[in-house]
Amino acid sequence: MNFIRRILGYSGKKVVCPRCLERIGVKEDQAKLCDNCGWGIPLQYIRSFDEAPPIFIQVFGWTNHGKTLFLDTLRLVLMDMHAVWDNFRYQSFTQMDMEKERELQAERRRGILAAGTQRRERDQNEVYIMNLRGMERWGSRMLVVMDHPGEYFENFSVPVKEIPFLINTPTTIMLISLPDIVDDSKNSAGERIDQLFQIYLAALENEGVNWKKERRKLIVVLTKADITAGMPQNMRNYLMEDNIWRSIESNTRMNPLDSIAVAEYLERMERVSNDIRHWIRSDRKNVPGGANFINLIDDYNIDARFTIMSATGGEVEQGGINISPRRVLDPFFWALEFQSR
Ligand SMILES: Nc1nc2c(ncn2[C@@H]2O[C@H](COP(=O)(O)OP(=O)(O)OP(=O)(O)O)[C@@H](O)[C@H]2O)c(=O)[nH]1
Ligand SMILES: [Mg+2]
């Protein structure tokens, strides 16, 4: 039997298509077009699948709130994680991924990350795969990312077919920029944080999600924390104390994130998550819709964690920005925790 399998090149192996998440049969030594969606699955993805299972990141958030910049700076930080993990290495699996990598590195060398509108012209339905190896605690994982335009999440008609990870993976990153909803001049529609969540609930409910049966996981990311008003001092300190980027930039050696340090990092993240949750629940002025948001989360049995982050590290200047991302790893670490159990 094994002999016949070898001759036919059939290993009985199945992988999850990184585009539509259907489980499909593959051969160990051949790239393959997905039987379900036709997407070209790279050979290295197939080879690595068992040893480095995929981790899917779906970002849900309105236009101009910072989704693309979050995903881009996360990739930039991940490319330099050797700073804290001695055996860390990453790899692009497709030409498109490598081009993206070069583009980000070039922008970073110029100290500039292009602004939102321009970035939106890219094909929004592309799947980016980054193979990450040698991560302390989590080992090897393939990070699979899609970046959708905020228009998709604007109202109750979310095009879920275009957003396969939303329904088919249990974890969603809900990203919201409080400065963009608190400032009336940027928020003529009067959007509130609980409304973004109601759109999420409606999208999943339309697809028949059973909240009691499958506990959904939500990572709430308050982005643009560098310009967020009214944030308690302990949270602000937490944001500013992240010095991974600084040590990467200055090429200075940091304390490695060994297994003990990672465990401590996660404990602190959990405490900060509780603080943020409390702040959202109680600060009516600076977090419009916050109390309703938290109560709905509990009502729908959702397993939520909360993070603050800044993709830029500071206010954006005309023409470009000298970035200094802070705490962009936190949502990723939560996703790893959620998708490792
Ligand atoms: N101060 C500050 N500005 C940010 C931050 N992240 C993003 N921005 C600004 O917000 C703008 C929009 O960010 P994008 O990442 O393009 O937003 P998006 O959510 O991808 O927008 P769409 O693609 O239209 O849905 C950027 O051009 C930056 O000027 C941040 O952490 N801090
Ligand atoms: Mg975008």
Side-chain angles (χ1 to χ4, degrees):
M1 191 63 180
N2 279 346
F3 172 73
I4 294 169
R5 284 190 161 174
R6 241 190 352 262
I7 298 258
L8 295 174
Y10 174 67
S11 59
K13 180 170 180 165
K14 290 204 159 183
V15 303
V16 173
C17 168
R19 176 65 180 76
C20 70
L21 298 158
E22 197 69 31
R23 275 192 95 75
I24 55 160
V26 289
K27 290 174 185 168
E28 194 68 65
D29 56 359
Q30 241 174 55
K32 159 150 191 166
L33 299 182
C34 172
D35 298 332
N36 184 50
C37 71
W39 200 75
I41 305 175
L43 175 59
Q44 281 168 308
Y45 176 91
I46 292 172
R47 288 225 171 113
S48 306
F49 186 81
D50 291 330
E51 169 224 343
I55 170 165
F56 298 96
I57 298 275
Q58 178 62 55
V59 186
F60 194 101
W62 284 321
T63 294
N64 216 38
H65 275 233
K67 297 179 299 301
T68 303
L69 223 57
F70 161 60
L71 291 171
D72 285 356
T73 48
L74 174 63
R75 283 171 78 107
L76 274 174
V77 173
L78 287 174
M79 283 181 215
D80 272 312
M81 283 302 275
H82 325 87
V84 291
W85 286 328
D86 278 342
N87 295 319
F88 177 80
R89 59 253 188 233
Y90 74 89
Q91 199 179 347
S92 293
F93 279 171
T94 64
Q95 186 60 36
M96 189 191 72
D97 278 294
M98 181 163 289
E99 277 159 19
K100 170 88 178 166
E101 190 184 311
R102 285 187 187 143
E103 177 194 331
L104 286 175
Q105 280 164 344
E107 287 179 356
R108 178 203 183 147
R109 273 198 302 277
R110 293 198 304 269
I112 292 174
L113 283 194
T117 17
Q118 193 184 334
R119 306 189 144 243
R120 222 178 298 149
E121 284 159 19
R122 260 190 239 129
D123 184 353
Q124 300 290 351
N125 293 325
E126 280 304 344
V127 181
Y128 292 94
I129 307 172
M130 190 176 183
N131 187 32
L132 308 166
R133 282 165 197 262
M135 294 188 286
E136 192 60 64
R137 184 183 180 95
W138 300 288
S140 300
R141 302 297 297 259
M142 293 183 284
L143 174 62
V144 186
V145 166
M146 288 180 81
D147 183 17
H148 299 99
E151 284 86 347
Y152 279 22
F153 313 105
E154 214 59 61
N155 54 46
F156 274 42
S157 47
V158 174
V160 283
K161 298 281 172 294
E162 304 290 315
I163 318 171
F165 303 175
L166 184 62
I167 306 298
N168 300 319
T169 65
T171 316
T172 302
I173 292 183
M174 179 163 296
L175 179 142
I176 190 148
S177 154
L178 290 175
D180 285 273
I181 59 169
V182 168
D183 182 348
D184 285 342
S185 68
K186 291 181 189 154
N187 185 14
S188 52
E191 290 165 331
R192 299 178 358 155
I193 192 167
D194 59 328
Q195 291 168 353
L196 181 63
F197 186 59
Q198 291 176 53
I199 292 167
Y200 165 82
L201 290 174
L204 269 67
E205 212 129 36
N206 285 341
E207 294 297 306
V209 167
N210 183 335
W211 308 98
K212 294 273 162 334
K213 230 167 85 192
E214 36 172 332
R215 194 154 193 226
R216 289 278 157 166
K217 302 184 187 315
L218 198 68
I219 302 161
V220 178
V221 177
L222 303 182
T223 189
K224 308 196 190 181
D226 54 287
I227 49 168
T228 298
M231 199 183 275
Q233 193 59 43
N234 60 331
M235 283 160 54
R236 204 167 290 283
N237 292 346
Y238 178 74
L239 183 75
M240 298 318 284
E241 279 166 25
D242 175 15
N243 49 22
I244 290 182
W245 183 265
R246 238 171 304 160
S247 88
I248 293 170
E249 287 282 275
S250 61
N251 205 17
T252 48
R253 184 111 186 100
M254 282 187 61
N255 290 336
L257 271 182
D258 59 16
S259 60
I260 294 171
V262 173
E264 284 170 1
Y265 195 110
L266 296 180
E267 269 173 39
R268 190 150 180 227
M269 235 168 52
E270 181 93 51
R271 284 199 301 276
V272 171
S273 170
N274 292 334
D275 292 346
I276 299 168
R277 182 190 173 97
H278 177 74
W279 182 58
I280 293 176
R281 179 80 181 70
S282 55
D283 191 340
R284 289 169 53 114
K285 176 167 167 268
N286 293 304
V287 194
N292 193 42
F293 175 43
I294 300 293
N295 289 355
L296 279 173
I297 284 178
D298 293 342
D299 198 25
Y300 277 82
N301 188 34
I302 283 169
D303 195 5
R305 296 295 186 285
F306 301 82
T307 70
I308 45 169
M309 179 205 91
S310 172
T312 58
E315 188 61 284
V316 180
E317 280 147 40
Q318 200 81 72
I321 38 177
N322 219 333
I323 58 157
S324 180
R326 290 184 203 272
R327 301 293 180 191
V328 291
L329 283 170
D330 289 25
F332 173 64
F333 284 174
W334 276 126
L336 282 168
E337 282 297 278
F338 276 147
Q339 295 187 33
S340 296
R341 287 181 209 153

